[in-house]
Amino acid sequence: MSTALPEASDDAALLRAAGLRVTRPRLGVLAALREHPHADAADVLTAVRADQPTVSHQAVYDSLHTLTEAQLVRSLQPAGSTARYELDAHDNHHHLVCRGCGALVDVPCHTGTAPCLSATEDHGFDIDEAEVYYWGRCPACAAGDTDLPHPTL
């Protein structure tokens, strides 16, 4: 995508720049999402607990909420799916969603800079973002290989 995500070594500075306290759970969530983009909250909790075994469920959920509110993390919720999270690169990219296995893949904005798509009627709204989900079947599901693990892309 067009905007590079900050390096893990910059996470404390990123939190401070957003006006947030630097805490181990917040650092853990950022690290987990860097390694596992499009993870749901349960998967983020599992990843954070790999490095911080005593972190509470509530601390991770609170961190996800706080980081999303601060626009450091983006919450995605395709129809019929649980919320998933990714680091917010502020690049207005979109997503492919597999109807078979639920894999979620980043795709660049179709037509350029934000808001990418122009509404035919804006009803007076000042549009600053477009959220698009493309639906289909990933190559493994299309081939009938639904038992194969799908990489998180």
Side-chain angles (χ1 to χ4, degrees):
M1 306 299 113
S2 63
T3 304
L5 293 171
E7 295 296 319
S9 61
D10 296 336
D11 285 347
L14 189 67
L15 290 169
R16 286 186 192 101
L20 299 174
R21 287 185 314 116
V22 177
T23 65
R24 290 195 55 178
R26 289 175 184 168
L27 291 171
V29 166
L30 291 172
L33 291 174
R34 188 169 279 102
E35 292 297 317
H36 307 283
H38 309 134
D40 64 20
D43 290 336
V44 171
L45 176 63
T46 299
V48 173
R49 282 189 172 161
D51 291 325
Q52 301 176 39
T54 60
V55 71
S56 72
H57 177 273
Q58 192 63 48
V60 170
Y61 277 67
D62 288 347
S63 294
L64 282 168
H65 176 76
T66 299
L67 295 170
T68 300
E69 286 290 313
Q71 297 182 349
L72 299 177
V73 167
R74 185 174 177 194
S75 175
L76 311 166
Q77 194 164 5
S81 176
T82 61
R84 300 194 214 174
Y85 300 89
E86 67 182 0
L87 295 177
D88 196 334
H90 303 285
D91 64 352
N92 205 42
H93 67 273
H94 304 304
H95 296 90
L96 292 167
V97 184
C98 179
R99 292 185 190 278
C101 65
L104 192 65
V105 181
D106 290 342
V107 293
C109 186
H110 177 66
T111 61
T113 61
C116 290
L117 303 174
S118 297
T120 55
E121 175 57 52
D122 65 16
H123 298 277
F125 281 64
D126 180 15
I127 300 171
D128 61 12
E129 182 178 3
E131 187 172 293
V132 175
Y133 291 102
Y134 298 100
W135 293 86
R137 293 173 55 81
C138 70
C141 288
D145 296 332
T146 56
D147 294 337
L148 297 176
H150 300 283
T152 302
L153 302 176

